[in-house]
């Protein structure tokens, strides 16, 4: 009976975990993780100079299309930056390889961009 109960409990945990919808980190070039910054509002990037060195903007070209929810916003230097749902999107310089998420939660203001 104990073995069966243990098996049933394990099966319940697996079913519950499998039922949860996982969110996938959105990626840019080379599979690098993309981030949003809480200080950005109204589709305007506030990350320049040293900030932009640490958090390079995910740049695009006018006329490009990444699908639903994606737009391009103009930066003060005239380059175009991708935004998702109106929020400018960035890479993190501390991420060394595709799939790294070292920037998530930095300063309590940087967050991995997730897609359903």
């Amino acid at each position: 009976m104990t073995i069966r109960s243990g098996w049933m409990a394990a099966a319940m945990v697996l079913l519950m975990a499998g039922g949860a919808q996982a969110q996938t980190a959105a990626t840019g070039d080379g599979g690098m993780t993309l981030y949003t910054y809480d200080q950005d509002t109204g589709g305007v990037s506030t990350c320049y100079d040293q900030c932009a060195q640490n958090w390079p903007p995910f740049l695009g070209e006018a006329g490009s299309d990444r699908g639903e929810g994606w737009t391009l916003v103009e930066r003060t230097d005239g380059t175009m930056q991708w935004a998702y749902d109106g929020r400018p999107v960035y890479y993190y310089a501390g991420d060394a390889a595709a799939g790294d998420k070292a920037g998530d939660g930095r300063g309590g203001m940087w967050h991995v961009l997730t897609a359903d």
Side-chain angles (χ1 to χ4, degrees):
M1 199 68 111
T2 303
I3 293 172
R4 185 173 184 194
S5 295
W7 176 83
M8 297 265 299
M12 288 296 287
V13 169
L14 288 174
L15 286 173
M16 289 169 45
Q21 287 208 355
Q23 291 194 334
T24 305
T27 58
D29 298 335
M32 299 302 286
T33 302
L34 296 172
Y35 299 87
T36 58
Y37 183 39
D38 288 347
Q39 295 296 312
D40 292 345
T41 59
V44 177
S45 173
T46 59
C47 184
Y48 291 92
D49 304 319
Q50 185 62 45
C51 178
Q53 288 180 24
N54 294 327
W55 299 92
F58 179 32
L59 300 177
E61 294 183 23
S64 298
D65 183 16
R66 287 188 54 87
E68 188 176 338
W70 290 94
T71 57
L72 287 165
V73 295
E74 189 171 357
R75 295 179 56 79
T76 58
D77 63 2
T79 59
M80 301 300 284
Q81 180 176 1
W82 284 109
Y84 187 77
D85 284 342
R87 304 195 64 199
V89 179
Y90 306 84
Y91 294 107
Y92 177 53
D95 285 347
D100 286 355
K101 298 178 183 101
D104 194 28
R106 290 258 177 201
M109 301 187 140
W110 291 94
H111 310 284
V112 169
L113 175 64
T114 56
D116 297 330

